[in-house]
Amino acid sequence: MSQRKRPHNAPSSQSKGARNSMVLLADEDDDVSYTQPSTSQVQKGLDRLTPAQVDLKTAEVVQFIFVKDQKKIPIRRADIVKHVVKEYRNIYPEILKRTSRTFETVFGLSLKEIDSKNHVYILVNKLDPPDGELLSMTPSNPKTGLLFVILGIIFMKGGVVKESMVWNTLKKLRVDPGEKHVDFGDVKKVVIEEFVKQRYLEHVRVPHTEPLEFEFRWGQRADIEVSKVKLLEFMGQLHDQDPQSWSQQYREATTPQASTAPSGPVSQR
Amino acid sequence: MARPLGEVHKRFLQTMMAKGIIDGDKAKALLRHCCETHGAPINDHLDEFIEVINAQLQPMFMQIRKGMSEEDGLQYYALVNMAETDVTRMSSDYADNELELFRKKKTMDLIVDSDTGTASSTDILNCADSLQTKKLKKKETEHVLNRLVQDEWLKEKQGEYSLSTRCIMEMEPYIRRFYQDQVKLCHICHNVVLQCQMCENPTCGIKIHVPCVARYFKGRTDPRCPACEDFWPHEIPEVNRPSSQSQSAAKEGRAPKSQSTAQTSKTRRS
């Protein structure tokens, strides 16, 4: 059973056509404040500004994204334009390009568009996690452990699991989702709200079920930031088993397309 | 063009962003750790290393700044934000009236104007009545103060609030500019001084950081003000030494011998 292909897993060349037509739709409803300027409009806009002005605006966008990223909440283009870019909206593509370049060259981070319809971005770490660690996350966050157990369950079960199964497995590990946990607090809330909001997990309804059933998949941030090879090694240690003995998972973890990020960094949009 | 950053620089910077402030020893250890992680030769030139990062941070109005803590006298490195725009880190987390309580004409004023570099909770609560943006109730003010302490902008000791080391490092240019008539510079290190000892001679009244006092008067039996020569009437504290020497010695299982430590760092450098 292979993981179902999700839109963000498609190579960027394929989704480009779709993306362009989406732009118009998005601009009409949600993103009313912003229309994508043409290249010549951008050039004209740049000619009217001093380089210092453009640099300043870029710095403000960088700061804004950092602030939003502190809680790992995805950032909407509409918010960047509305709160920061403002009267510079005609050169927004250029500003985003420079912002993206700054994140890469200075901070070792990458600004990735995870929703090409609504233009939503997340900041992901480009540096490899240090040895023995699964993720370059803010150090000593106890929730990371919880997250990894869940990502592990999903990965070992072929990419998707029922919600009830996650709760049952956690119970076996003495984390009762019905009770307040010392480190995690309200476990269900952390998993269903926080991890989902941060795009580490996807939590979707299973169609045609009564009573309602939900399932978990990996979220886009997990796809980009979490190494499946390292996760498998972690599972191996947990079960005292050679990671290669899970042949299907091992194959998926080691095939290049599974471990590389779905699309390139933001270039011009 | 500034030098491009390597992975060692980027990892160091990412950690600084997560931690906000670290002391000098930890900064050195962090640099070593980053070098090891990327298989780079060990770099002991912390300040030069940071300068390279700062050249790249400058267009973003950010900087890794070095400064002394008014409390323990140790060197610290803090990632500070120099931008005064409305998207800076602090303003995103606080409402306008909460910011007003902290900055303009309120808590900061009380602290800077005081002789001790502290403001009592009573005085801060009183000034909350006169906020222009939107009044804060007593409970709300206490809550904001707690958050400011939690976020390490303020420090609290028995109902007295002072500015944290990181806050002073970040706000120093602001303090110098907006409080140039009130704020004093330490007579010894010439940095902004808030928490201090003060000469009691009314015509003198110089201020010295407590750790600077400790260093300056160390071993003197008859402490006198370095400016007016009057008797220095305060208790002279002990010098607080950075733990680096004893720590690295303990790691290597040796008695602290400054010579041997110097030697190791020399061999490492080459």
Side-chain angles (χ1 to χ4, degrees), chain A residues 56 59-60 62-64 66-67 70 84 86 102 104-109 125 127-128 130 138-139, chain B residues 5 7 10-11 13-14 17-19 37 56-57 59-62 81 83 85-87 89 92-93:
Chain A
L56 182 66
E60 285 182 23
V62 168
Q63 296 260 10
F64 181 77
F66 269 136
V67 166
Q70 273 178 351
V84 194
K86 294 175 188 164
T102 302
E104 303 242 352
T105 57
V106 182
F107 298 96
L109 302 167
N125 208 330
L127 299 182
D128 285 333
T138 321
Chain B
L5 300 188
E7 294 205 313
K10 291 175 187 172
R11 187 172 299 279
L13 177 55
Q14 283 189 2
M17 295 205 59
K19 293 197 184 285
T37 305
Q56 296 281 351
L57 286 180
M60 252 72 60
F61 305 98
M62 293 161 93
N81 204 322
T85 61
D86 51 0
V87 289
R89 191 176 55 234
S92 67
D93 293 339

mmCIF file of all heavy atoms in Angstrom, chain A residues 56 59-60 62-64 66-67 70 84 86 102 104-109 125 127-128 130 138-139, chain B residues 5 7 10-11 13-14 17-19 37 56-57 59-62 81 83 85-87 89 92-93:
data_model
loop_
_atom_site.group_PDB
_atom_site.id
_atom_site.type_symbol
_atom_site.label_atom_id
_atom_site.label_comp_id
_atom_site.label_asym_id
_atom_site.label_seq_id
_atom_site.Cartn_x
_atom_site.Cartn_y
_atom_site.Cartn_z
ATOM 1 N N LEU A 56 14.909 47.832 3.081
ATOM 2 C CA LEU A 56 14.187 48.030 4.331
ATOM 3 C C LEU A 56 12.912 47.197 4.352
ATOM 4 O O LEU A 56 12.584 46.543 5.330
ATOM 5 C CB LEU A 56 13.861 49.514 4.509
ATOM 6 C CG LEU A 56 13.154 49.881 5.805
ATOM 7 C CD1 LEU A 56 14.067 49.647 6.992
ATOM 8 C CD2 LEU A 56 12.689 51.338 5.784
ATOM 9 N N ALA A 59 13.721 43.617 4.869
ATOM 10 C CA ALA A 59 14.050 43.349 6.278
ATOM 11 C C ALA A 59 12.776 43.229 7.111
ATOM 12 O O ALA A 59 12.661 42.365 7.971
ATOM 13 C CB ALA A 59 14.937 44.459 6.829
ATOM 14 N N GLU A 60 11.801 44.074 6.820
ATOM 15 C CA GLU A 60 10.546 44.025 7.574
ATOM 16 C C GLU A 60 9.802 42.716 7.332
ATOM 17 O O GLU A 60 9.224 42.134 8.248
ATOM 18 C CB GLU A 60 9.643 45.200 7.195
ATOM 19 C CG GLU A 60 10.094 46.516 7.796
ATOM 20 C CD GLU A 60 9.153 47.654 7.431
ATOM 21 O OE1 GLU A 60 7.976 47.405 7.112
ATOM 22 O OE2 GLU A 60 9.611 48.807 7.446
ATOM 23 N N VAL A 62 11.192 39.860 6.487
ATOM 24 C CA VAL A 62 11.961 38.826 7.186
ATOM 25 C C VAL A 62 11.554 38.798 8.670
ATOM 26 O O VAL A 62 11.250 37.749 9.232
ATOM 27 C CB VAL A 62 13.483 39.066 7.046
ATOM 28 C CG1 VAL A 62 14.272 38.176 7.994
ATOM 29 C CG2 VAL A 62 13.928 38.826 5.609
ATOM 30 N N GLN A 63 11.522 39.967 9.283
ATOM 31 C CA GLN A 63 11.152 40.065 10.700
ATOM 32 C C GLN A 63 9.738 39.533 10.941
ATOM 33 O O GLN A 63 9.493 38.799 11.887
ATOM 34 C CB GLN A 63 11.191 41.535 11.145
ATOM 35 C CG GLN A 63 12.563 42.139 11.088
ATOM 36 C CD GLN A 63 13.226 42.192 12.454
ATOM 37 O OE1 GLN A 63 12.727 41.614 13.399
ATOM 38 N NE2 GLN A 63 14.357 42.870 12.537
ATOM 39 N N PHE A 64 8.851 39.925 10.070
ATOM 40 C CA PHE A 64 7.449 39.517 10.209
ATOM 41 C C PHE A 64 7.322 37.997 10.154
ATOM 42 O O PHE A 64 6.643 37.384 10.971
ATOM 43 C CB PHE A 64 6.626 40.161 9.081
ATOM 44 C CG PHE A 64 5.164 39.836 9.114
ATOM 45 C CD1 PHE A 64 4.313 40.464 10.013
ATOM 46 C CD2 PHE A 64 4.630 38.902 8.230
ATOM 47 C CE1 PHE A 64 2.965 40.175 10.033
ATOM 48 C CE2 PHE A 64 3.276 38.605 8.248
ATOM 49 C CZ PHE A 64 2.440 39.250 9.159
ATOM 50 N N PHE A 66 9.633 35.807 10.789
ATOM 51 C CA PHE A 66 10.239 35.227 11.993
ATOM 52 C C PHE A 66 9.274 35.258 13.166
ATOM 53 O O PHE A 66 9.152 34.295 13.920
ATOM 54 C CB PHE A 66 11.505 35.991 12.385
ATOM 55 C CG PHE A 66 12.748 35.437 11.765
ATOM 56 C CD1 PHE A 66 13.706 36.266 11.215
ATOM 57 C CD2 PHE A 66 12.969 34.067 11.736
ATOM 58 C CE1 PHE A 66 14.861 35.756 10.644
ATOM 59 C CE2 PHE A 66 14.122 33.548 11.174
ATOM 60 C CZ PHE A 66 15.067 34.394 10.630
ATOM 61 N N VAL A 67 8.592 36.371 13.321
ATOM 62 C CA VAL A 67 7.646 36.495 14.415
ATOM 63 C C VAL A 67 6.564 35.431 14.295
ATOM 64 O O VAL A 67 6.237 34.734 15.251
ATOM 65 C CB VAL A 67 7.018 37.901 14.417
ATOM 66 C CG1 VAL A 67 5.811 37.949 15.322
ATOM 67 C CG2 VAL A 67 8.054 38.937 14.850
ATOM 68 N N GLN A 70 7.687 31.825 15.057
ATOM 69 C CA GLN A 70 8.003 31.426 16.428
ATOM 70 C C GLN A 70 7.048 30.353 16.916
ATOM 71 O O GLN A 70 7.427 29.463 17.647
ATOM 72 C CB GLN A 70 7.925 32.638 17.365
ATOM 73 C CG GLN A 70 9.237 33.392 17.406
ATOM 74 C CD GLN A 70 9.153 34.620 18.293
ATOM 75 O OE1 GLN A 70 8.081 35.007 18.749
ATOM 76 N NE2 GLN A 70 10.289 35.226 18.524
ATOM 77 N N VAL A 84 2.647 44.178 6.135
ATOM 78 C CA VAL A 84 4.020 44.662 5.980
ATOM 79 C C VAL A 84 4.276 45.322 4.625
ATOM 80 O O VAL A 84 4.736 46.451 4.555
ATOM 81 C CB VAL A 84 5.048 43.517 6.166
ATOM 82 C CG1 VAL A 84 6.435 44.094 6.356
ATOM 83 C CG2 VAL A 84 4.685 42.626 7.335
ATOM 84 N N LYS A 86 2.325 46.413 2.240
ATOM 85 C CA LYS A 86 1.455 47.588 2.077
ATOM 86 C C LYS A 86 1.631 48.298 0.734
ATOM 87 O O LYS A 86 1.388 47.712 -0.313
ATOM 88 C CB LYS A 86 1.682 48.571 3.236
ATOM 89 C CG LYS A 86 1.243 48.005 4.567
ATOM 90 C CD LYS A 86 1.615 48.964 5.683
ATOM 91 C CE LYS A 86 1.360 48.317 7.047
ATOM 92 N NZ LYS A 86 2.027 49.019 8.114
ATOM 93 N N THR A 102 17.469 35.710 1.558
ATOM 94 C CA THR A 102 18.041 36.008 2.875
ATOM 95 C C THR A 102 17.912 34.815 3.818
ATOM 96 O O THR A 102 18.857 34.451 4.506
ATOM 97 C CB THR A 102 17.328 37.230 3.486
ATOM 98 O OG1 THR A 102 17.478 38.323 2.601
ATOM 99 C CG2 THR A 102 17.907 37.589 4.834
ATOM 100 N N GLU A 104 17.802 31.752 3.117
ATOM 101 C CA GLU A 104 18.716 30.670 2.719
ATOM 102 C C GLU A 104 20.160 31.007 3.045
ATOM 103 O O GLU A 104 20.879 30.208 3.642
ATOM 104 C CB GLU A 104 18.610 30.414 1.212
ATOM 105 C CG GLU A 104 17.207 30.090 0.774
ATOM 106 C CD GLU A 104 17.063 28.710 0.163
ATOM 107 O OE1 GLU A 104 18.100 28.053 -0.053
ATOM 108 O OE2 GLU A 104 15.914 28.309 -0.081
ATOM 109 N N THR A 105 20.597 32.215 2.636
ATOM 110 C CA THR A 105 22.030 32.506 2.731
ATOM 111 C C THR A 105 22.463 32.919 4.135
ATOM 112 O O THR A 105 23.601 32.719 4.505
ATOM 113 C CB THR A 105 22.441 33.613 1.747
ATOM 114 O OG1 THR A 105 21.641 34.763 2.017
ATOM 115 C CG2 THR A 105 22.250 33.192 0.312
ATOM 116 N N VAL A 106 21.576 33.489 4.913
ATOM 117 C CA VAL A 106 21.984 33.960 6.237
ATOM 118 C C VAL A 106 21.570 32.994 7.345
ATOM 119 O O VAL A 106 22.354 32.698 8.241
ATOM 120 C CB VAL A 106 21.412 35.368 6.537
ATOM 121 C CG1 VAL A 106 21.881 35.867 7.896
ATOM 122 C CG2 VAL A 106 21.810 36.348 5.439
ATOM 123 N N PHE A 107 20.350 32.492 7.272
ATOM 124 C CA PHE A 107 19.837 31.735 8.410
ATOM 125 C C PHE A 107 19.801 30.219 8.205
ATOM 126 O O PHE A 107 19.480 29.480 9.126
ATOM 127 C CB PHE A 107 18.424 32.230 8.756
ATOM 128 C CG PHE A 107 18.389 33.679 9.164
ATOM 129 C CD1 PHE A 107 18.077 34.671 8.244
ATOM 130 C CD2 PHE A 107 18.697 34.045 10.459
ATOM 131 C CE1 PHE A 107 18.047 36.010 8.621
ATOM 132 C CE2 PHE A 107 18.674 35.373 10.844
ATOM 133 C CZ PHE A 107 18.349 36.355 9.928
ATOM 134 N N GLY A 108 20.089 29.765 6.986
ATOM 135 C CA GLY A 108 20.016 28.325 6.740
ATOM 136 C C GLY A 108 18.598 27.808 6.776
ATOM 137 O O GLY A 108 18.343 26.665 7.134
ATOM 138 N N LEU A 109 17.657 28.674 6.432
ATOM 139 C CA LEU A 109 16.252 28.296 6.431
ATOM 140 C C LEU A 109 15.706 28.414 5.020
ATOM 141 O O LEU A 109 16.294 29.085 4.182
ATOM 142 C CB LEU A 109 15.445 29.216 7.354
ATOM 143 C CG LEU A 109 15.874 29.266 8.814
ATOM 144 C CD1 LEU A 109 15.205 30.436 9.523
ATOM 145 C CD2 LEU A 109 15.524 27.969 9.510
ATOM 146 N N ASN A 125 13.870 24.235 8.145
ATOM 147 C CA ASN A 125 15.300 24.261 8.396
ATOM 148 C C ASN A 125 16.040 23.510 7.299
ATOM 149 O O ASN A 125 15.702 22.387 6.975
ATOM 150 C CB ASN A 125 15.572 23.608 9.746
ATOM 151 C CG ASN A 125 16.822 24.155 10.365
ATOM 152 O OD1 ASN A 125 17.746 24.549 9.651
ATOM 153 N ND2 ASN A 125 16.849 24.187 11.665
ATOM 154 N N LEU A 127 19.398 23.050 7.503
ATOM 155 C CA LEU A 127 20.562 22.377 8.075
ATOM 156 C C LEU A 127 20.157 20.983 8.533
ATOM 157 O O LEU A 127 19.067 20.796 9.053
ATOM 158 C CB LEU A 127 21.085 23.160 9.274
ATOM 159 C CG LEU A 127 21.562 24.585 9.026
ATOM 160 C CD1 LEU A 127 22.088 25.177 10.318
ATOM 161 C CD2 LEU A 127 22.628 24.625 7.962
ATOM 162 N N ASP A 128 21.055 20.028 8.353
ATOM 163 C CA ASP A 128 20.768 18.684 8.831
ATOM 164 C C ASP A 128 20.686 18.708 10.344
ATOM 165 O O ASP A 128 21.464 19.381 10.996
ATOM 166 C CB ASP A 128 21.886 17.724 8.419
ATOM 167 C CG ASP A 128 21.788 17.395 6.945
ATOM 168 O OD1 ASP A 128 20.666 17.462 6.416
ATOM 169 O OD2 ASP A 128 22.827 17.083 6.338
ATOM 170 N N PRO A 130 21.466 17.701 14.048
ATOM 171 C CA PRO A 130 22.714 17.148 14.587
ATOM 172 C C PRO A 130 22.595 15.634 14.754
ATOM 173 O O PRO A 130 21.481 15.119 14.877
ATOM 174 C CB PRO A 130 22.836 17.827 15.952
ATOM 175 C CG PRO A 130 21.828 18.885 16.004
ATOM 176 C CD PRO A 130 20.815 18.639 14.941
ATOM 177 N N THR A 138 13.730 23.567 18.159
ATOM 178 C CA THR A 138 14.164 24.279 19.343
ATOM 179 C C THR A 138 14.490 23.221 20.400
ATOM 180 O O THR A 138 13.692 22.336 20.648
ATOM 181 C CB THR A 138 13.033 25.180 19.860
ATOM 182 O OG1 THR A 138 12.382 25.738 18.727
ATOM 183 C CG2 THR A 138 13.570 26.261 20.741
ATOM 184 N N PRO A 139 15.676 23.321 20.990
ATOM 185 C CA PRO A 139 16.097 22.230 21.858
ATOM 186 C C PRO A 139 15.169 22.003 23.041
ATOM 187 O O PRO A 139 14.468 22.905 23.472
ATOM 188 C CB PRO A 139 17.483 22.687 22.341
ATOM 189 C CG PRO A 139 17.546 24.139 22.049
ATOM 190 C CD PRO A 139 16.639 24.397 20.898
ATOM 191 N N LEU B 5 28.020 33.150 4.511
ATOM 192 C CA LEU B 5 28.035 32.340 5.727
ATOM 193 C C LEU B 5 28.057 30.857 5.397
ATOM 194 O O LEU B 5 27.364 30.406 4.492
ATOM 195 C CB LEU B 5 26.791 32.639 6.572
ATOM 196 C CG LEU B 5 26.612 34.075 7.035
ATOM 197 C CD1 LEU B 5 25.449 34.157 8.010
ATOM 198 C CD2 LEU B 5 27.874 34.606 7.689
ATOM 199 N N GLU B 7 27.791 26.735 6.937
ATOM 200 C CA GLU B 7 26.813 26.035 7.775
ATOM 201 C C GLU B 7 27.112 26.221 9.254
ATOM 202 O O GLU B 7 26.197 26.245 10.068
ATOM 203 C CB GLU B 7 26.790 24.549 7.420
ATOM 204 C CG GLU B 7 26.281 24.311 6.006
ATOM 205 C CD GLU B 7 25.687 22.919 5.841
ATOM 206 O OE1 GLU B 7 26.342 21.974 6.286
ATOM 207 O OE2 GLU B 7 24.582 22.822 5.284
ATOM 208 N N LYS B 10 25.583 29.449 10.201
ATOM 209 C CA LYS B 10 24.120 29.378 10.205
ATOM 210 C C LYS B 10 23.604 28.618 11.421
ATOM 211 O O LYS B 10 22.611 28.998 12.029
ATOM 212 C CB LYS B 10 23.621 28.730 8.916
ATOM 213 C CG LYS B 10 23.846 29.604 7.691
ATOM 214 C CD LYS B 10 23.454 28.888 6.416
ATOM 215 C CE LYS B 10 23.842 29.702 5.194
ATOM 216 N NZ LYS B 10 23.640 28.929 3.951
ATOM 217 N N ARG B 11 24.293 27.535 11.780
ATOM 218 C CA ARG B 11 23.845 26.763 12.945
ATOM 219 C C ARG B 11 24.012 27.588 14.230
ATOM 220 O O ARG B 11 23.141 27.590 15.097
ATOM 221 C CB ARG B 11 24.611 25.439 13.058
ATOM 222 C CG ARG B 11 24.054 24.531 14.142
ATOM 223 C CD ARG B 11 24.679 23.151 14.143
ATOM 224 N NE ARG B 11 24.465 22.412 12.911
ATOM 225 C CZ ARG B 11 23.351 21.748 12.620
ATOM 226 N NH1 ARG B 11 22.354 21.724 13.482
ATOM 227 N NH2 ARG B 11 23.227 21.107 11.480
ATOM 228 N N LEU B 13 23.931 30.802 14.457
ATOM 229 C CA LEU B 13 22.902 31.839 14.434
ATOM 230 C C LEU B 13 21.527 31.268 14.794
ATOM 231 O O LEU B 13 20.776 31.880 15.560
ATOM 232 C CB LEU B 13 22.872 32.490 13.047
ATOM 233 C CG LEU B 13 21.811 33.556 12.789
ATOM 234 C CD1 LEU B 13 21.884 34.668 13.815
ATOM 235 C CD2 LEU B 13 21.961 34.132 11.385
ATOM 236 N N GLN B 14 21.210 30.098 14.275
ATOM 237 C CA GLN B 14 19.913 29.480 14.593
ATOM 238 C C GLN B 14 19.783 29.240 16.087
ATOM 239 O O GLN B 14 18.720 29.454 16.672
ATOM 240 C CB GLN B 14 19.756 28.154 13.840
ATOM 241 C CG GLN B 14 19.414 28.334 12.373
ATOM 242 C CD GLN B 14 19.041 27.019 11.708
ATOM 243 O OE1 GLN B 14 19.000 25.962 12.344
ATOM 244 N NE2 GLN B 14 18.777 27.059 10.418
ATOM 245 N N MET B 17 19.164 32.437 17.851
ATOM 246 C CA MET B 17 17.782 32.891 17.680
ATOM 247 C C MET B 17 16.858 32.163 18.642
ATOM 248 O O MET B 17 15.919 32.737 19.173
ATOM 249 C CB MET B 17 17.317 32.653 16.247
ATOM 250 C CG MET B 17 18.100 33.496 15.287
ATOM 251 S SD MET B 17 17.234 33.840 13.755
ATOM 252 C CE MET B 17 15.778 34.658 14.280
ATOM 253 N N ALA B 18 17.150 30.875 18.861
ATOM 254 C CA ALA B 18 16.290 30.104 19.759
ATOM 255 C C ALA B 18 16.513 30.510 21.207
ATOM 256 O O ALA B 18 15.583 30.556 21.997
ATOM 257 C CB ALA B 18 16.556 28.609 19.580
ATOM 258 N N LYS B 19 17.759 30.804 21.576
ATOM 259 C CA LYS B 19 18.063 31.069 22.984
ATOM 260 C C LYS B 19 17.961 32.548 23.360
ATOM 261 O O LYS B 19 17.707 32.856 24.503
ATOM 262 C CB LYS B 19 19.476 30.577 23.307
ATOM 263 C CG LYS B 19 19.593 29.062 23.232
ATOM 264 C CD LYS B 19 20.848 28.598 23.938
ATOM 265 C CE LYS B 19 21.081 27.114 23.817
ATOM 266 N NZ LYS B 19 20.211 26.306 24.651
ATOM 267 N N THR B 37 29.953 19.582 14.637
ATOM 268 C CA THR B 37 28.805 19.050 13.914
ATOM 269 C C THR B 37 29.061 19.035 12.405
ATOM 270 O O THR B 37 28.633 18.130 11.709
ATOM 271 C CB THR B 37 27.537 19.887 14.218
ATOM 272 O OG1 THR B 37 27.367 19.929 15.620
ATOM 273 C CG2 THR B 37 26.313 19.288 13.566
ATOM 274 N N GLN B 56 26.235 40.073 7.883
ATOM 275 C CA GLN B 56 25.076 39.607 7.117
ATOM 276 C C GLN B 56 23.759 39.989 7.785
ATOM 277 O O GLN B 56 22.737 40.100 7.126
ATOM 278 C CB GLN B 56 25.128 38.081 6.954
ATOM 279 C CG GLN B 56 26.311 37.580 6.155
ATOM 280 C CD GLN B 56 26.106 37.743 4.665
ATOM 281 O OE1 GLN B 56 25.015 38.073 4.207
ATOM 282 N NE2 GLN B 56 27.152 37.495 3.899
ATOM 283 N N LEU B 57 23.796 40.137 9.094
ATOM 284 C CA LEU B 57 22.563 40.463 9.827
ATOM 285 C C LEU B 57 22.217 41.942 9.733
ATOM 286 O O LEU B 57 21.072 42.339 9.906
ATOM 287 C CB LEU B 57 22.716 40.097 11.310
ATOM 288 C CG LEU B 57 22.659 38.625 11.677
ATOM 289 C CD1 LEU B 57 22.837 38.462 13.181
ATOM 290 C CD2 LEU B 57 21.332 38.008 11.252
ATOM 291 N N PRO B 59 21.761 44.211 7.398
ATOM 292 C CA PRO B 59 20.629 44.703 6.598
ATOM 293 C C PRO B 59 19.275 44.348 7.200
ATOM 294 O O PRO B 59 18.272 44.967 6.872
ATOM 295 C CB PRO B 59 20.795 43.987 5.248
ATOM 296 C CG PRO B 59 22.182 43.465 5.229
ATOM 297 C CD PRO B 59 22.600 43.270 6.639
ATOM 298 N N MET B 60 19.240 43.346 8.082
ATOM 299 C CA MET B 60 17.977 42.949 8.720
ATOM 300 C C MET B 60 17.772 43.680 10.044
ATOM 301 O O MET B 60 16.853 43.357 10.786
ATOM 302 C CB MET B 60 17.982 41.448 9.000
ATOM 303 C CG MET B 60 17.073 40.662 8.094
ATOM 304 S SD MET B 60 17.762 40.598 6.463
ATOM 305 C CE MET B 60 19.300 39.787 6.824
ATOM 306 N N PHE B 61 18.664 44.599 10.368
ATOM 307 C CA PHE B 61 18.604 45.332 11.626
ATOM 308 C C PHE B 61 18.683 44.396 12.827
ATOM 309 O O PHE B 61 18.015 44.573 13.831
ATOM 310 C CB PHE B 61 17.340 46.203 11.718
ATOM 311 C CG PHE B 61 17.222 47.121 10.558
ATOM 312 C CD1 PHE B 61 16.419 46.796 9.488
ATOM 313 C CD2 PHE B 61 17.964 48.291 10.517
ATOM 314 C CE1 PHE B 61 16.333 47.629 8.387
ATOM 315 C CE2 PHE B 61 17.869 49.122 9.423
ATOM 316 C CZ PHE B 61 17.063 48.790 8.350
ATOM 317 N N MET B 62 19.493 43.356 12.660
ATOM 318 C CA MET B 62 19.720 42.448 13.779
ATOM 319 C C MET B 62 21.212 42.394 14.037
ATOM 320 O O MET B 62 22.014 42.739 13.173
ATOM 321 C CB MET B 62 19.211 41.049 13.436
ATOM 322 C CG MET B 62 17.711 40.967 13.295
ATOM 323 S SD MET B 62 17.256 39.499 12.380
ATOM 324 C CE MET B 62 17.004 38.388 13.704
ATOM 325 N N ASN B 81 17.558 43.071 18.328
ATOM 326 C CA ASN B 81 16.836 43.634 17.217
ATOM 327 C C ASN B 81 17.014 45.140 17.276
ATOM 328 O O ASN B 81 16.733 45.758 18.288
ATOM 329 C CB ASN B 81 15.370 43.285 17.416
ATOM 330 C CG ASN B 81 14.648 43.286 16.132
ATOM 331 O OD1 ASN B 81 14.912 44.124 15.277
ATOM 332 N ND2 ASN B 81 13.735 42.349 15.973
ATOM 333 N N ALA B 83 15.716 47.209 14.930
ATOM 334 C CA ALA B 83 14.677 47.888 14.161
ATOM 335 C C ALA B 83 13.670 48.536 15.095
ATOM 336 O O ALA B 83 13.328 47.988 16.125
ATOM 337 C CB ALA B 83 13.975 46.890 13.255
ATOM 338 N N THR B 85 10.660 49.381 13.959
ATOM 339 C CA THR B 85 9.417 49.343 13.198
ATOM 340 C C THR B 85 8.359 48.611 14.012
ATOM 341 O O THR B 85 8.649 48.060 15.064
ATOM 342 C CB THR B 85 9.617 48.594 11.871
ATOM 343 O OG1 THR B 85 10.017 47.259 12.183
ATOM 344 C CG2 THR B 85 10.676 49.246 11.034
ATOM 345 N N ASP B 86 7.153 48.621 13.499
ATOM 346 C CA ASP B 86 6.070 48.021 14.276
ATOM 347 C C ASP B 86 6.006 46.499 14.146
ATOM 348 O O ASP B 86 5.074 45.874 14.603
ATOM 349 C CB ASP B 86 4.721 48.650 13.902
ATOM 350 C CG ASP B 86 4.510 48.646 12.410
ATOM 351 O OD1 ASP B 86 5.397 48.157 11.700
ATOM 352 O OD2 ASP B 86 3.465 49.141 11.969
ATOM 353 N N VAL B 87 6.967 45.891 13.493
ATOM 354 C CA VAL B 87 6.919 44.431 13.412
ATOM 355 C C VAL B 87 8.010 43.772 14.249
ATOM 356 O O VAL B 87 8.284 42.613 14.105
ATOM 357 C CB VAL B 87 7.026 43.906 11.961
ATOM 358 C CG1 VAL B 87 5.777 44.214 11.198
ATOM 359 C CG2 VAL B 87 8.255 44.439 11.264
ATOM 360 N N ARG B 89 10.081 42.087 17.357
ATOM 361 C CA ARG B 89 9.667 40.926 18.124
ATOM 362 C C ARG B 89 8.740 41.274 19.280
ATOM 363 O O ARG B 89 7.715 40.662 19.494
ATOM 364 C CB ARG B 89 10.913 40.234 18.662
ATOM 365 C CG ARG B 89 10.616 38.870 19.237
ATOM 366 C CD ARG B 89 11.883 38.189 19.673
ATOM 367 N NE ARG B 89 12.615 39.025 20.595
ATOM 368 C CZ ARG B 89 13.884 39.378 20.426
ATOM 369 N NH1 ARG B 89 14.546 38.962 19.392
ATOM 370 N NH2 ARG B 89 14.497 40.144 21.301
ATOM 371 N N SER B 92 5.042 42.472 18.637
ATOM 372 C CA SER B 92 4.093 41.495 18.105
ATOM 373 C C SER B 92 3.393 40.747 19.223
ATOM 374 O O SER B 92 2.309 40.231 19.050
ATOM 375 C CB SER B 92 4.825 40.513 17.215
ATOM 376 O OG SER B 92 5.679 39.743 18.008
ATOM 377 N N ASP B 93 4.055 40.658 20.354
ATOM 378 C CA ASP B 93 3.498 39.876 21.452
ATOM 379 C C ASP B 93 2.702 40.709 22.445
ATOM 380 O O ASP B 93 2.044 40.174 23.319
ATOM 381 C CB ASP B 93 4.627 39.172 22.223
ATOM 382 C CG ASP B 93 5.297 38.106 21.380
ATOM 383 O OD1 ASP B 93 4.663 37.646 20.419
ATOM 384 O OD2 ASP B 93 6.446 37.752 21.679
#
